[in-house]
Amino acid sequence: MDAAATAEQVARVVATVESLGLQAHPIPGAQRTAIGITGNRGSVEAAAFENLPGVIEVIPVSAPYKLVSREAKRENSVISIRGVPVGGPALTVIAGPCAVESEAQAIEIGRRVRAAGAHLYRGGAFKPRTSPYSFQGLGEKGLKILSKVRAETGLGIVTEVLDTETAELVAEHADCLQVGARNMQNFSLLKKVGRIKKPVLLKRGMSATIEELLLSAEYLLAEGNYDVILCERGVRTFADHTRNTLDLSAIPYVQRISHLPILVDPSHGTGKRQKVLPLSRAAIAVGADGLLIEVHHQPEAALSDGPQALLPEMFEQLIGEIRALAPVVGRVL
Ligand code: PEP
Ligand code: MN
């Protein structure tokens, strides 16, 4: 739509799309609204829309993913998590423990990352663990602790949603719902989360292609949730010197073909504390919109992912270095 198109003109296009038995997805933007059309089997006849008032052009999207593509929306999407923008000129740093372990642990780490300059807090209450005998998270008790962390620190909360049964409960406490690598292709969970109108952090599956990642994001947008942030967290390769192989080439590739913001998680991407800072620098240099970092004040006692957790003072150093690097790549922190 034209930048000056009125709400009535957008509504008229939506009504026209729906009168053809198709779905209309008005995707708001700072400059102009794009209206995605889905539900068509073949191509859609452009003549039905192109002369409606306010319409600039009708663009057929050739990629298998539609609403997430840059063809559908040219300008970058900026997602707000409790007032913190993700995807604009400012970099976003989300930090906290892998898992909420106790109120004292969660709040102490919250204070430390807040003081260092984190914008949002992360921490899992429902944890996806490889072994059923490993710590599974505190569940609802952990969610209540996260609400206290928000009250104490003012930081918005990003936490994982593990299944459809607990999705609404998690959404009551979270400012952003994280869909983890293991659930990237849990399509019933994606549909459920797409219907909950909260921002979503969608992590790349450990063996997912970029097309698969974008199609998973498409599930969320197709349900009407346009507040989706992607996250590269490393993929499985033959390499065994790191936990995963952090695929930084994914960042400029995704940015070329999609309008969605993309973060990098060098904590899961490397699995090793000493590698988190260098790969954070690399992530920002390559154009990532921000970082997801695991921090613990007593990593040797952590109930999950201790070896990759930064100590609070290491996180402070990371923030300082990223702040210095940001202007080099046209960003601010
Ligand atoms: C996490 O962020 O805590 C997590 C479990 O990450 P991933 O899904 O990327 O393994
Ligand atoms: Mn973790």
Side-chain angles (χ1 to χ4, degrees):
M1 302 295 292
D2 190 282
T6 63
E8 290 71 36
Q9 290 172 339
V10 171
R12 181 159 170 209
V13 175
V14 168
T16 307
V17 171
E18 288 171 353
S19 73
L20 295 169
L22 305 172
Q23 282 88 54
H25 305 263
I27 312 173
Q31 302 304 322
R32 58 187 209 177
T33 297
I35 303 174
I37 302 175
T38 59
N40 51 303
R41 299 219 169 263
S43 61
V44 173
E45 194 49 69
F49 314 100
E50 64 195 354
N51 294 320
L52 291 177
V55 172
I56 294 189
E57 57 180 330
V58 180
I59 307 165
V61 176
S62 51
Y65 35 84
K66 307 291 175 192
L67 304 172
V68 306
S69 74
R70 265 218 200 268
E71 290 168 287
K73 183 180 178 223
R74 256 177 240 160
E75 63 186 89
N76 292 342
S77 283
V78 181
I79 314 298
S80 167
I81 304 179
R82 207 182 156 80
V84 173
V86 185
L91 298 171
T92 312
V93 180
I94 307 172
C98 180
V100 175
E101 299 168 0
S102 69
E103 185 173 324
Q105 172 255 15
I107 290 181
E108 170 66 14
I109 297 172
R111 289 209 182 100
R112 302 292 293 269
V113 300
R114 157 102 234 201
H119 305 104
L120 296 162
Y121 184 87
R122 65 145 291 147
F126 292 95
K127 294 302 301 176
R129 302 307 301 280
T130 302
S131 165
Y133 307 118
S134 299
F135 176 59
Q136 303 285 307
L138 296 180
E140 187 169 5
K141 185 175 162 212
L143 295 176
K144 289 183 176 152
I145 293 174
L146 287 169
S147 285
K148 286 190 183 162
V149 172
R150 175 177 40 228
E152 278 284 323
T153 64
L155 297 175
I157 302 294
V158 181
T159 194
E160 180 157 356
V161 49
L162 213 50
D163 51 43
T164 51
E165 295 82 72
T166 53
E168 261 137 35
L169 176 66
V170 174
E172 280 173 32
H173 296 271
D175 298 296
C176 173
L177 299 168
Q178 175 173 321
V179 174
R182 291 157 191 80
N183 265 324
M184 188 203 85
Q185 286 191 312
N186 180 340
F187 301 116
S188 48
L189 180 62
L190 294 173
K191 285 183 194 169
K192 175 85 186 175
V193 169
R195 287 191 292 267
I196 299 176
K197 299 292 183 298
K198 283 251 164 139
V200 181
L201 179 68
L202 177 65
K203 300 188 86 174
R204 181 182 180 184
M206 57 184 87
S207 62
T209 64
I210 300 303
E211 182 169 309
E212 288 164 341
L213 171 64
L214 292 176
L215 283 168
S216 289
E218 185 80 14
Y219 268 88
L220 298 165
L221 275 76
E223 292 292 339
N225 189 342
Y226 305 110
D227 292 338
V228 177
I229 300 154
L230 305 172
C231 182
E232 163 61 36
R233 47 78 74 203
V235 292
R236 282 266 169 99
T237 68
F238 54 83
D240 58 4
H241 64 292
T242 56
R243 180 177 178 182
N244 291 293
T245 296
L246 190 62
D247 179 13
L248 292 180
S249 73
I251 309 306
Y253 183 71
V254 164
Q255 288 171 333
R256 188 162 60 80
I257 58 184
S258 175
H259 55 87
L260 298 177
I262 182 162
L263 304 181
V264 168
D265 170 357
S267 302
H268 294 87
T270 65
K272 293 184 183 171
R273 178 176 309 129
Q274 299 303 338
K275 293 190 167 73
V276 171
L277 175 57
L279 282 160
S280 296
R281 292 189 209 110
I284 298 310
V286 87
D289 294 301
L291 299 166
L292 183 69
I293 305 285
E294 287 190 348
V295 176
H296 202 295
H297 63 311
Q298 290 170 329
E300 62 293 340
L303 297 180
S304 64
D305 286 348
Q308 69 195 31
L310 293 188
L311 288 155
E313 49 273 25
M314 296 172 82
F315 179 66
E316 259 174 56
Q317 186 188 343
L318 181 150
I319 291 280
E321 294 197 16
I322 297 308
R323 185 166 287 139
L325 178 59
V328 178
V329 288
R331 310 296 285 258
V332 285
L333 180 70

